[in-house]
Amino acid sequence: QVQVVESGGGLVQAGGSLRLSCAASGSIFSINGMGWYRQAPGKQRELVATVSSGGITNYAGSVKGRFTISGDNAMNTVYLQMNRLKPEDTAVYYCAADLRPRGLLSRTERYWGQGTQVTVSS
């Protein structure tokens, strides 16, 4: 069994900072990459930032320069440091892990966390 668990959401004033954490655990053979996505009310889920097992990062244009994604050496924990937050950053933030579970017939799939609410007040 594989679990992906986020933490660190909350309420913050515009201009403030928050740090989200995400941990993948369980019977994992390998992790190709992890990332953060968000979904605001009435909108589709969108990419925020990703990091590959090789350390390559990718950011949405709307967060570039304000958000930083990082991971530990084992790449089973990732963080999203969010600075200079804006009201439009308000959303449920989801962590995703592209990983291969242990098992002879397993394949790489995307596993999602349950989401954590981030609310930025103006």
Side-chain angles (χ1 to χ4, degrees):
Q1 285 247 345
V2 173
Q3 279 190 317
V4 177
V5 179
E6 307 102 333
S7 61
L11 172 64
V12 65
Q13 286 189 331
S17 299
L18 278 176
R19 190 190 195 212
L20 305 182
S21 301
C22 172
S25 62
S27 186
I28 298 172
F29 178 75
S30 62
I31 299 178
N32 290 354
M34 297 180 73
W36 290 94
Y37 296 75
R38 67 187 181 187
Q39 188 167 18
K43 295 188 176 181
Q44 289 192 331
R45 190 173 297 188
E46 62 176 5
L47 179 147
V48 176
T50 62
V51 58
S52 72
S53 58
I56 297 173
T57 57
N58 181 47
Y59 294 93
S62 59
V63 307
K64 199 171 291 186
R66 300 188 297 122
F67 291 10
T68 303
I69 189 170
S70 60
D72 64 5
N73 287 336
M75 265 300 298
N76 61 355
T77 303
V78 291
Y79 308 94
L80 186 68
Q81 178 66 43
M82 305 185 293
N83 298 327
R84 305 201 310 274
L85 282 159
K86 304 176 181 180
E88 50 264 44
D89 294 318
T90 295
V92 177
Y93 283 69
Y94 296 91
C95 178
D98 293 333
L99 62 85
R100 180 182 173 187
R102 293 188 184 277
L104 286 176
L105 301 179
S106 69
R107 59 181 183 177
T108 299
E109 295 182 13
R110 176 160 293 180
Y111 290 78
W112 292 94
Q114 79 287 353
T116 185
Q117 178 70 46
V118 171
T119 303
V120 184
S121 62
S122 57

